[in-house]
């Protein structure tokens, strides 16, 4: 199965995550150190450079 990376940001709590998964299985979850949506989007771009999906 193909692995995917999804991003999720909770505006109310100021928390974001990157999740590496396929249907029903989570392989890795990265918690963002930033608290605003704009910073989160920048963090996602930077972090995706280091994530290799095979």
């Amino acid at each position: 199965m193909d692995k995917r990376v999804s991003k999720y940001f909770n505006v109310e709590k100021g928390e974001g995550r990157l999740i590496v998964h396929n249907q029903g299985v989570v392989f890795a979850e990265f918690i963002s150190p930033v608290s605003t949506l704009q910073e989160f989007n920048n963090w996602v771009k930077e972090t995706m450079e280091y994530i290799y999906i095979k």
Side-chain angles (χ1 to χ4, degrees), residues 4 11 16 27 29 31-32 37-40 45 54:
R4 302 178 191 197
V11 177
F27 297 102
E29 188 171 346
I31 300 171
S32 170
L37 183 58
Q38 183 176 2
E39 290 174 326
F40 175 71
K45 287 179 187 175
K54 190 174 184 182

Side-chain angles (χ1 to χ4, degrees), residues 21-32:
H21 63 93
N22 68 10
Q23 289 182 317
V25 178
V26 174
F27 297 102
E29 188 171 346
F30 302 92
I31 300 171
S32 170

